[in-house]
Amino acid sequence: GENVEQHPSTLSVQEGDSAVIKCTYSDSASNYFPWYKQELGKGPQLIIDIRSNVGEKKDQRIAVTLNKTAKHFSLHITETQPEDSAVYFCAASLNQAGTALIFGKGTTLSVSS
Amino acid sequence: DAGVTQSPTHLIKTRGQQVTLRCSPKSGHDTVSWYQQALGQGPQFIFQYYEEEERQRGNFPDRFSGHQFPNYSSELNVNALLLGDSALYLCASSLVDSYGYTFGSGTRLTVV
């Protein structure tokens, strides 16, 4: 079955710096790759997603890139702010909408001011 | 617009007991998925319900069962609780065959 690996497990940056989180997946049939932000005591919140027919997607300070050949995808956060501090999860889903999401183990991002 | 609502928020159970967790999906959503999130880990898929039927199941034992009601709300039942069942249980709703999942805040289950 699908396996998603996420690195790093922890990431500390200064306010205004960029942060990059990387994930690899094992099943070439996966075609949907969302990123979730989870704050303490809350459920995961979708921040951006990408499908396999797209190589890059941006939404203000957040961008995701996908390399299908290498089976890896990355989250890029620019101009980080203290409120970006949270746990970030990548996930992958097989080639049919509505199928289960397979999550990475998460990255704890700390942004210090 | 109400999001996904889960109840209770916290509960403590004794090993061997049974527990029922509840989820009301986001308005307009008809599919409910359940995930288990152990401390420091990513969520793991338990199962998904659509049209009151279990549509897909992850690698969880039969002690984990569920139900979906005609109003699309759902319950997760866990029998013969083990200490290892202690986790945050997340409910996610979506529209059938769509990619947009909305998660609730979860139920924190502690088994002692």
Side-chain angles (χ1 to χ4, degrees), chain A residues 2 4 25-33 52 68 92-95:
Chain A
E2 175 65 282
V4 176
Y25 61 98
S26 61
D27 193 334
S28 57
S30 292
N31 70 341
Y32 174 63
F33 308 92
S52 60
K68 282 187 63 180
S93 178
L94 294 180
N95 60 1

Side-chain angles (χ1 to χ4, degrees), chain A residues 73-111:
Chain A
F73 55 113
S74 300
L75 176 71
H76 303 254
I77 305 174
T78 59
E79 300 173 21
T80 54
Q81 302 166 3
E83 50 266 39
D84 293 329
S85 297
V87 181
Y88 290 81
F89 292 97
C90 63
S93 178
L94 294 180
N95 60 1
Q96 179 181 343
T99 55
L101 294 174
I102 307 302
F103 285 84
K105 291 188 175 182
T107 296
T108 301
L109 174 63
S110 300
V111 181

Side-chain angles (χ1 to χ4, degrees), chain B residues 67-86:
Chain B
H67 188 78
Q68 185 180 34
F69 299 93
N71 66 353
Y72 308 120
S73 67
S74 177
E75 289 182 349
L76 164 66
N77 300 293
V78 187
N79 295 323
L81 285 167
L82 304 174
L83 297 179
D85 294 331
S86 295

Side-chain angles (χ1 to χ4, degrees), chain B residues 13 36-39 81-89 108-112:
Chain B
K13 288 287 188 178
Q36 180 195 66
Q37 186 177 21
L39 202 60
L81 285 167
L82 304 174
L83 297 179
D85 294 331
S86 295
L88 180 68
Y89 288 84
R108 172 70 63 188
L109 171 65
T110 302
V111 182
V112 298

